[in-house]
Amino acid sequence: MDRREFLKRAGIGSIGLSALAITPPALAGYRKGNGHQHFSLVALSSTSASETTNHVMILEGAGSFKAKTGQVDRTGGGNFVHVEDFPSPGSGPLASGRWNPTSLVSYDAGPPFGDYGRIRASILVVNVVLRPDAGGSLAGTLLIACNVGFAGIQTGEPEGFKLSVPGFNFDTPFLGLTHISIPEGVSSA
């Protein structure tokens, strides 16, 4: 079964992605001006093919950060859904809940990679906490790669995210969109 068939069976096609709309609390957390940048994503990533059972993480969210000072707005974040690849009809997710960034690890705007209007092709890495609805929390590291593929501006990473949490390494982005803005106060002209 190919990915298209998997997504069709799992109900995670374009309708499924649109159902994970960017959360209003994350949007409200955007800091304005003074060099802050914004990120948003709605994307899917799977575990490596070398693992015995493939898992898929569906992640959506938004937030802001300030690369010059190494700050990330902790009020950002969003929702996650963790499913086993090729789930049985009627089976539910393995876990779902909320996530939020806790600190900025790194930001790479390239040598530069390039801007396209107010979009900056770049790679953001943040520490995160996942809070499953069933309780508890998991600390992890989230890499968000923003390319501007239609304009030929690439970072060298695939568009999407990579998430490492205890027990899982979602290191194979395969569907979705990300956006990282140019800094507030910088002109796109």
Side-chain angles (χ1 to χ4, degrees):
M1 178 182 306
D2 64 13
R3 293 211 184 272
R4 175 174 274 150
E5 180 63 22
F6 162 71
L7 294 172
K8 183 178 174 184
R9 288 182 71 198
I12 309 172
S14 58
I15 294 172
L17 283 176
S18 65
L20 288 173
I22 301 298
T23 57
L27 294 173
Y30 276 176
R31 301 245 186 241
K32 304 290 187 227
N34 199 21
H36 279 90
Q37 290 175 261
H38 311 290
F39 68 88
S40 60
L41 73 153
V42 178
L44 288 81
S45 187
S46 65
T47 53
S48 297
S50 62
E51 301 204 16
T52 56
T53 302
N54 194 27
H55 291 257
V56 175
M57 180 66 77
I58 306 161
L59 200 67
E60 70 78 23
S64 65
F65 66 99
K66 193 169 182 180
K68 284 187 178 181
T69 59
Q71 297 172 302
V72 65
D73 188 345
R74 293 176 181 220
T75 62
N79 298 306
F80 73 89
V81 178
H82 174 192
V83 299
E84 191 171 355
D85 205 351
F86 308 114
S88 302
S91 66
L94 298 173
S96 63
R98 306 227 357 104
W99 67 273
N100 68 284
T102 57
S103 62
L104 189 141
V105 175
S106 65
Y107 176 68
D108 183 359
F113 299 124
D115 296 343
Y116 190 85
R118 299 198 58 80
I119 304 168
R120 175 157 293 168
S122 52
I123 301 168
L124 173 66
V125 181
V126 292
N127 288 320
V128 296
V129 173
L130 278 69
R131 291 184 175 79
D133 293 336
S137 64
L138 292 167
T141 303
L142 174 65
L143 177 148
I144 301 170
C146 175
N147 296 311
V148 191
F150 62 87
I153 306 171
Q154 304 291 322
T155 63
E157 288 282 347
E159 176 86 9
F161 73 90
K162 295 180 180 181
L163 174 65
S164 178
V165 294
F168 296 98
N169 188 18
F170 299 95
D171 60 357
T172 310
F174 67 90
L175 181 66
L177 293 172
T178 63
H179 174 267
I180 298 177
S181 72
I182 62 174
E184 290 286 332
V186 172
S187 173
S188 64

